[in-house]
Amino acid sequence: MARQLDEQMSGRFAVGRRLRVLDVGMGRGVQALRLARAGHRVTGVERDAETVAAARDALAREPEGIRERMRVLEGDGRDTGVHFLPGSFDVVLCHGMLLYVEEPDPLLAGLARMLAPGGLLSLLVGNGDALAMRPGLRGEWSAALAAFDGGETGPAALPPSRTPADGETAPARPRGGVRADRLATLTAKLAGIGAPLRAWYGVRVFTDAAGAPAGPGVAPDGDLAALLAAEERAGRTDPYRAVAALLHLCGVRG
């Protein structure tokens, strides 16, 4: 995710430019802190009070210059219009939050309004076109068959105890599993809110069902560098990226 995001940011903004970044559903602030360390001004929004406290604790341990560039707010993420003026940010991140929002359209529209012209919107979503992949690769045939008819919601999109963005404990799932989105549907929605899709990647192509019983993402041979290289290559290569557990979509405000 970090490599993909950096690729899109460097392709859109001048080298050395200090960007205004909004991270909605920031979790413990892994991406937000990384971008603040890189010199950007970052606002993180997270609704869970315990997670907000952990993010603020992590920020407090950073050097003064980084602390001055980042702020952490407790909020739902769907009320951005209350806190910020339209066009306030150059980059808006929403990594994983759409998995837990039953009606994503108002949130997407609000995120797009926060972008300045030419701004980058980065989304991480469940892949609704590949819900049967994980149970199928694990030999869970009944679950795989059910996932084919599961629409854009299903428990196959994520393992039960990990978040997509930073490997922390996930919030409770909605009844019936997390949401997932189809690429064609989100492409149309992004065009409709004025932030058309410019690039997309697969995330967790190979690792989502790998490593059992040690857990997803564990390299059997212990070669983490090779695992990351294989995932990065697959995440930008057809047909592999289309069957990833998650999709990273990047839209640009017109």
Side-chain angles (χ1 to χ4, degrees), residues 4-173:
Q4 294 164 0
L5 182 59
D6 287 349
E7 177 181 285
Q8 292 302 314
M9 290 174 64
S10 64
R12 293 219 55 81
F13 303 106
V15 175
R17 177 177 168 183
R18 303 310 188 196
L19 302 172
R20 301 164 298 167
V21 180
L22 174 65
D23 188 351
V24 175
M26 66 176 292
R28 294 175 181 263
V30 171
Q31 288 291 347
L33 272 173
R34 187 182 70 83
L35 293 172
R37 292 178 187 129
H40 305 299
R41 304 194 70 86
V42 182
T43 299
V45 179
E46 171 59 47
R47 65 181 179 180
D48 180 72
E50 185 176 342
T51 306
V52 167
R56 287 174 173 161
D57 182 63
L59 180 60
R61 296 194 296 270
E62 295 289 327
E64 181 180 357
I66 295 173
R67 296 199 305 271
E68 291 176 349
R69 288 196 296 271
M70 180 172 165
R71 58 177 174 163
V72 178
L73 303 178
E74 185 173 343
D76 185 85
R78 287 172 285 191
D79 55 358
T80 51
V82 175
H83 301 291
F84 312 112
L85 293 174
S88 296
F89 298 95
D90 304 301
V91 179
V92 173
L93 314 179
C94 186
H95 293 167
M97 186 171 173
L98 291 181
L99 290 161
Y100 306 102
V101 176
E102 292 186 9
E103 296 295 336
D105 291 4
L107 174 61
L108 285 172
L111 297 177
R113 282 195 296 271
M114 295 302 102
L115 282 171
L120 176 69
L121 175 62
S122 174
L123 305 174
L124 186 69
V125 303
N127 185 1
D129 293 315
L131 291 177
M133 283 297 296
R134 188 171 195 269
L137 290 173
R138 295 172 66 92
E140 299 167 359
W141 309 121
S142 296
L145 287 169
F148 280 112
D149 301 316
E152 297 190 359
T153 303
L158 285 175
S161 62
R162 312 302 289 177
T163 61
D166 47 24
E168 298 152 2
T169 302
R173 292 184 178 194

Side-chain angles (χ1 to χ4, degrees), residues 16 21 46 78 121 150 183 205 208 238 252:
V21 180
E46 171 59 47
R78 287 172 285 191
L121 175 62
L183 178 61
V205 178
D208 194 58
D238 291 323
V252 174

